[in-house]
Amino acid sequence: MLETRSLMTSVKMEPADLLAILLSLSEREWTPALIESQKAFVQMAGVKDLSLLSKLRNSDMQRLRSPDKASGGDVFFRDKDMYYLVVTSGEPVIDSFGRPIFRSEEYPQPVLEIGIISPESSELEERLRLFASVVESAIKNNLDGRRTRHMTFEWSERKPGTPRLDKLTSEVERETGPNFSRASLNDKEVEAARILTNKLERDTLIDISQAGFARQRDILNGKPKQSSEIRATIATLKQAGLLNAEYLLECKRTSAPLTRLKDLGQLLLPEVGSLLCGACGAEFRAEVANEGYFLTELGRKLSRQSHWMTVWVTEMLTRAGVPESSILWNISESGEEVDLLVEFMGQLWIFELKDREFGSGDAHPLNYRQVRYRANNSIVVTTERVSKDAKRVFSDLAKESRRLGVTEPTYVEGLESAYETLRREMSKAALQYAVGRINILSAISGYDLGAVLKERFREALGNTL
């Protein structure tokens, strides 16, 4: 899975300082790729004086609309990672046309941003902190001592945040927006949801839910060839806290129901066991007790509107690196309902969950919701499949709405592939986020760094780009 992290700090630097710092990093085995390409260019031209590099990089700055507001930066390829370093006199923002915009009023001093993107999530923060310490050392060793004597680096993590979800929830607080609930996982619900990904367990729970109370013998008689599997399934559902067991006391002669008992020990009590059956006259303790089952509060909660899928998909997303705070559940507004809304790495996804086939009748409402919430993409998760007619509808809608940026959904057909699909989508978002951070370097250098990164990390993205 592809992940990215970035750190920012304010620094007192001049544009002319950057070249010396980057060359110093090269001596520390942190090779700045853009400078190396320029060094190769001047060497091929037969120029030995590397001071020409400063003129080349100043020329690069002329590509920007406001060159005085940027010092530039570089990228570093090390093992499986890609690092970047960017210095600007304001927070760089790249508009939809690839043009850099600066908000220098928010940052009175130049801003130094470093970042890492990697398919190796283990010790990712440690590797970025190591790079930060190398950069600090290069700055202190190459700037005048009078400027660095009291220089401190207060690094803060740069996070993309959830601006669109924040806007949505703020509307709710003003009582003008949709209803929703915030994602909230607990271990018991997550474990139960995992169990319900198995079809037999899920079908058994649904059958018992529809019956209200189901005797074990009726459940087994309904599927005689699966009796051993059904017994094991019921035991699993009980252990997970989804089912409660009670006993239905029945007349031995007529099979008429008499009462329900929480446990058979109640028949040993005189006030219960000595009661007489109105049909045959026998005492209750002599009648037949059949074990039966009904849903617990947890079972009712997870089975209601297939809430188990919401919990399970949310847990998959958190495993893929998405914070719970970036996920909203069950958004309803003007008769429209959205199962999940997820904002992560600057991208917004709308999720449609179906414990059945996703049909053509589901396609138009989902497309409307995607447009309504201006989601970057929609993801259909179904326990079965997405019908050919539904896919055809999405294909036609995408062609008609290409100008609005509406694309066909990502399909998860069957739960076995869900985690890999979600992990791939989150990796693509991490890549796109990192590309956005270094777009300023693409604008300066003329290289399409985004295309380079896509190829470099194609394997980690499942060869989908």
Side-chain angles (χ1 to χ4, degrees):
M1 178 176 170
L2 212 57
E3 293 191 44
T4 186
R5 297 286 189 280
S6 57
L7 299 172
M8 299 180 70
T9 187
S10 294
V11 292
K12 293 181 178 180
M13 288 178 57
E14 299 297 331
D17 298 330
L18 186 57
L19 177 60
I21 292 167
L22 292 174
L23 289 173
S24 175
L25 287 171
S26 182
E27 295 171 358
R28 297 163 185 262
E29 299 183 351
W30 286 85
T31 306
L34 300 182
I35 279 188
E36 285 300 309
S37 69
Q38 291 177 330
K39 285 170 65 176
F41 176 79
V42 297
Q43 288 169 355
M44 288 181 68
V47 177
K48 297 181 180 180
D49 184 3
L50 294 183
S51 64
L52 182 62
L53 288 176
S54 61
K55 296 181 180 179
L56 289 177
R57 293 183 73 81
N58 288 337
S59 177
D60 286 341
M61 295 306 301
Q62 301 305 317
R63 299 173 185 269
L64 293 178
R65 177 176 294 179
S66 302
D68 59 314
K69 291 189 176 181
S71 299
D74 221 306
V75 293
F76 309 78
F77 300 99
R78 190 179 178 93
D79 300 324
K80 294 183 179 181
D81 304 334
M82 188 282 287
Y83 299 79
Y84 68 85
L85 180 155
V86 177
V87 179
T88 73
S89 60
E91 166 68 348
V93 178
I94 304 299
D95 68 15
S96 58
F97 298 99
R99 298 172 303 198
I101 304 170
F102 298 92
R103 300 175 184 162
S104 56
E105 68 277 2
E106 298 179 12
Y107 295 86
Q109 293 187 140
V111 174
L112 169 63
E113 179 178 338
I114 63 172
I116 181 175
I117 181 167
S118 173
E120 301 288 345
S121 60
S122 177
E123 299 181 343
L124 189 70
E125 288 81 2
E126 289 82 353
R127 298 200 298 281
L128 181 57
R129 289 288 178 181
L130 172 62
F131 182 50
S133 67
V134 173
V135 170
E136 290 179 22
S137 179
I139 292 174
K140 291 180 178 179
N141 290 337
N142 285 275
L143 299 187
D144 187 280
R146 289 170 297 180
R147 295 168 57 191
T148 61
R149 186 176 299 116
H150 303 293
M151 184 178 288
T152 59
F153 295 88
E154 298 179 358
W155 296 99
S156 59
E157 185 175 0
R158 188 194 188 285
K159 296 183 179 180
T162 55
R164 284 187 274 184
L165 290 191
D166 292 344
K167 183 177 184 297
L168 181 69
T169 54
S170 65
E171 289 176 354
V172 173
E173 291 170 359
R174 293 196 304 268
E175 299 183 356
T176 60
N179 296 316
F180 71 96
S181 58
R182 297 184 183 275
S184 177
L185 297 176
N186 64 67
D187 293 341
K188 193 167 185 178
E189 289 185 2
V190 168
E191 184 57 35
R194 287 175 183 165
I195 289 170
L196 292 176
T197 60
N198 299 306
K199 183 172 175 55
L200 184 57
E201 276 80 351
R202 192 164 66 249
D203 289 346
T204 301
L205 191 74
I206 291 172
D207 290 343
I208 295 173
S209 175
Q210 292 174 344
F213 179 87
R215 296 178 300 183
Q216 184 186 79
R217 72 181 188 189
D218 294 332
I219 299 172
L220 298 177
N221 288 340
K223 299 177 181 178
K225 295 182 179 180
Q226 294 180 284
S227 59
S228 58
E229 292 92 335
I230 293 292
R231 291 179 188 274
T233 293
I234 290 174
T236 299
L237 294 174
K238 287 171 61 180
Q239 186 175 7
L242 294 166
L243 288 182
N244 275 334
E246 286 188 354
Y247 295 88
L248 180 63
L249 193 66
E250 299 175 316
C251 175
K252 188 182 298 184
R253 189 174 69 184
T254 65
S255 297
L258 301 176
T259 190
R260 277 165 56 176
L261 305 169
K262 292 187 179 297
D263 62 77
L264 295 178
Q266 290 180 269
L267 291 174
L268 301 178
L269 300 174
E271 60 270 24
V272 178
S274 61
L275 293 173
L276 301 179
C277 173
C280 66
E283 291 185 341
F284 275 17
R285 63 172 58 94
E287 300 290 20
V288 178
N290 287 298
E291 186 173 6
Y293 312 100
F294 63 97
L295 269 60
T296 63
E297 182 178 349
L298 176 62
R300 290 192 298 272
K301 179 179 180 180
L302 293 184
S303 61
R304 190 180 303 119
Q305 296 180 325
S306 299
H307 183 63
W308 67 270
M309 288 191 74
T310 300
V311 172
W312 186 76
V313 170
T314 299
E315 198 265 336
M316 294 291 104
L317 288 168
T318 58
R319 282 176 53 193
V322 181
E324 280 187 31
S325 58
S326 298
I327 305 171
L328 296 183
W329 286 349
N330 306 321
I331 302 96
S332 60
E333 182 180 19
S334 303
E336 291 292 329
E337 294 186 0
V338 174
D339 294 320
L340 280 88
L341 204 58
V342 178
E343 187 172 8
F344 181 63
M345 289 292 171
Q347 301 290 303
L348 186 68
W349 290 270
I350 189 169
F351 280 74
E352 185 80 2
L353 314 180
K354 286 287 184 284
D355 187 8
R356 58 170 174 79
E357 180 181 272
F358 186 94
S360 58
D362 301 310
H364 282 284
L366 177 57
N367 184 75
Y368 168 79
R369 293 165 194 153
Q370 182 177 351
V371 174
R372 163 69 180 82
Y373 289 99
R374 298 181 181 179
N376 298 94
N377 199 0
S378 56
I379 298 180
V380 175
V381 182
T382 170
T383 56
E384 297 182 14
R385 66 187 184 92
V386 179
S387 71
K388 292 182 179 179
D389 289 340
K391 291 180 179 179
R392 189 179 301 112
V393 170
F394 283 128
S395 178
D396 293 342
L397 289 171
K399 292 176 183 177
E400 295 173 4
S401 306
R402 190 168 297 166
R403 184 174 57 84
L404 299 175
V406 176
T407 59
E408 291 187 53
T410 298
Y411 304 123
V412 179
E413 298 176 282
L415 304 181
E416 298 79 9
S417 63
Y419 178 64
E420 286 304 316
T421 301
L422 296 179
R423 188 173 72 165
R424 184 171 64 247
E425 289 298 308
M426 299 309 113
S427 293
K428 289 160 69 174
L431 176 66
Q432 189 168 340
Y433 175 74
V435 169
R437 302 312 301 161
I438 62 172
N439 263 345
I440 187 172
L441 299 182
S442 294
I444 291 172
S445 68
Y447 294 137
D448 187 347
L449 296 177
V452 173
L453 293 188
K454 289 176 183 178
E455 286 301 321
R456 178 177 176 84
F457 297 116
R458 180 174 288 276
E459 184 178 349
L461 296 164
N463 296 311
T464 58
L465 294 175

